[in-house]
Amino acid sequence: MSAQNANEIINATACEVRDRLLKKDIKPTELLDILEDRIQTVDDQVNALPTLCFDRARSFAKKLEAKPMEDRGMLAGIPVPIKDLTAVNGVRTTSGSPIFADRIPDWSDVLVETMETNGAIVYGKSNTPEFGAGAHTFNPVLGTTRNPWDLSKSAAGSSGGAAAALATGCAWLAHGSDMGGSLRNPASFCGVVGLRPSMHRLSDGPGTSPFQTLSMQGPMARNVADTALLLDAMVGFKNMNPLARPSPATSFLSIANKKIKPIKVAYSPDLGVSPVDPEIAEICKNAALQFEAAGVCVEEITPDLLDAPEVFKRLRGLDFVVGLGPLLDQHRDKLKEDIIWNIEYGRSLSAEDIAWAERKRGKIYYSMRQFFTEYDLLICPTTIVPPFPVEQRYVTECAGQKLETYIDWLAIVSTITLTASPAISIPCGFTKTGLPVGLQLVGKPQGDGPLLSAANLLEEILPKMQTPIDPRPKVGS
């Protein structure tokens, strides 16, 4: 294949690539060749996909190519990287931790199995911070992922590798996960799309806490329609996850493509829980107001979410005790200080501390349920700052306000986690220095389809963010 043809395919959308696969204009094995060349060209600068498994991928692709087209699944052979927190049979899965630096599971997470059944081809693992803790992708095993828009900046996290791979043309679709913004933050920093679906929309597992309600798996892509396509390939009830939901009767892609106009949406500059960089606030407000061009009523209003940061901090601490507490007892010397802090904080909580958080979360849910009787969407910034220097562990100050812990700067996304609502980050503009900014759209619980449809409409109105890009040593270069 010529370099020009390969470049055209790299720049194509996932939906366009699938159409070409269905027409047999291209084979899955050829897509893998194109990706391998692209990764060799650009990823040493970014470190988005530190673990590759092209031999496994080609074996899977050849088996797929031998099947009738109707049996190849909805993705029909599109390659997809899996976040390094999620097990893939026969592929190194480190969780970014020295404890599991050499782990090669002999099983796959049920979500990976679902995706492969639906025609996804796994060709690599995307980088993540240690155990996904923190919104900056670095770890002592696989190193740091850099932002392709400016290699001196963070790609955010914890799905930073997935976002950077999409932005550089090393993926058309990517798997991610999200507890306190881990899909949405890197989507914002890297100029791509990330969807945190409704609670337990997807089946995953096995895991240490199958009944947990904070961390969810989700799709990432370069545009909304492609994100909906991957969501369709991820859904499906598996009893490995006791809370997961069955597949919907109508595909998310078909709903997204209808671009159904919401009637009235709310815009909040900060959700009342966080400082926001003034430039980010202005860009996001202007983007939200673009809905008015489609005849949508946009009102600036903030729901009562004031207790959410403390609620999230406590429930997150509990989750860390459940999931990682035994590792602290056995491998304290191999855990980063932020994880140790989270676990020890969780262990310091009393039963009444947890009960308070659960009661407050219930009030937040019912308050938002009432809010959504008047508004179809809630819109706000995805991140409170533009991408920060890659050497910095986390954001310590914003708009003149000091932030105490490494999760404080995530309040604008972690607050939405508590509502059980689906939330999507879409690109909405650039800072004066040329760095991407993301807009967070929040839908009604179980309203993934209408959310994708509205996001697709707004994406069509907003200026197009051109991805993929070649990595840039510095913005403007």
Side-chain angles (χ1 to χ4, degrees), residues 436-455:
V437 177
L439 188 70
Q440 182 175 208
L441 283 68
V442 184
K444 300 175 182 180
Q446 303 307 319
D448 305 73
L451 172 64
L452 285 161
S453 192

Side-chain angles (χ1 to χ4, degrees), residues 194-215:
L195 172 71
R196 176 190 167 91
S198 291
M199 188 182 296
H200 293 291
R201 168 58 66 190
L202 310 178
S203 291
D204 61 352
T208 55
S209 183
F211 291 95
Q212 65 84 28
T213 59
L214 294 182
S215 184

Side-chain angles (χ1 to χ4, degrees), residues 124 241 399 449:
N241 183 324

Side-chain angles (χ1 to χ4, degrees), residues 282-317:
E282 181 181 5
I283 292 169
C284 289
K285 181 176 181 178
N286 289 339
L289 289 174
Q290 296 307 304
F291 250 142
E292 293 179 338
V296 178
C297 176
V298 181
E299 293 184 359
E300 185 167 327
I301 185 171
T302 297
D304 181 8
L305 298 165
L306 193 61
D307 290 322
E310 180 62 25
V311 172
F312 180 77
K313 181 181 174 183
R314 295 187 189 187
L315 296 182
R316 175 188 170 93

Side-chain angles (χ1 to χ4, degrees), residues 48-49 51 53 56 80-88 91-93 109 111-113 115-116 120-127 162 173-176 217 230 234:
L49 301 171
T51 301
C53 53
R56 181 187 188 277
V80 182
I82 303 298
K83 189 173 177 179
D84 197 35
L85 300 179
T86 298
V88 176
V91 182
R92 185 186 185 199
T93 301
D109 188 285
L111 179 61
V112 175
E113 292 179 349
M115 294 167 65
E116 289 183 328
I121 299 175
V122 177
Y123 65 98
K125 304 300 292 293
S126 60
N127 204 17
L173 302 169
H175 156 263
Q217 310 292 317
L230 182 54
M234 290 176 152

Side-chain angles (χ1 to χ4, degrees), residues 94-276:
T94 73
S95 296
S97 168
I99 300 169
F100 298 116
D102 301 314
R103 177 176 58 181
I104 300 178
D106 58 1
W107 56 278
S108 289
D109 188 285
V110 296
L111 179 61
V112 175
E113 292 179 349
T114 298
M115 294 167 65
E116 289 183 328
T117 298
N118 286 322
I121 299 175
V122 177
Y123 65 98
K125 304 300 292 293
S126 60
N127 204 17
T128 181
E130 188 175 337
F131 294 111
H136 178 22
T137 300
F138 67 94
N139 67 70
V141 180
L142 300 171
T144 300
T145 297
R146 294 174 178 267
N147 192 315
W149 292 91
D150 180 342
L151 293 172
S152 71
K153 300 294 193 293
S154 168
S158 61
S159 304
L166 290 164
T168 54
C170 294
W172 293 278
L173 302 169
H175 156 263
S177 60
D178 186 303
M179 175 183 276
S182 288
L183 274 162
R184 294 162 282 165
N185 288 309
S188 176
F189 271 22
C190 293
V192 297
V193 177
L195 172 71
R196 176 190 167 91
S198 291
M199 188 182 296
H200 293 291
R201 168 58 66 190
L202 310 178
S203 291
D204 61 352
T208 55
S209 183
F211 291 95
Q212 65 84 28
T213 59
L214 294 182
S215 184
M216 300 297 149
Q217 310 292 317
M220 303 178 74
R222 297 182 207 148
N223 62 48
V224 174
D226 288 355
T227 304
L229 171 65
L230 182 54
L231 181 62
D232 282 330
M234 290 176 152
V235 296
F237 176 77
K238 300 288 191 304
N239 60 13
M240 195 67 73
N241 183 324
L243 303 179
R245 297 175 177 273
S247 300
T250 305
S251 79
F252 290 110
L253 179 58
S254 66
I255 299 173
N257 282 338
K258 291 179 180 178
K259 300 177 184 176
I260 301 169
K261 181 176 68 176
I263 298 172
K264 185 163 67 169
V265 303
Y267 175 74
S268 171
D270 55 13
L271 296 185
V273 299
S274 177
V276 177

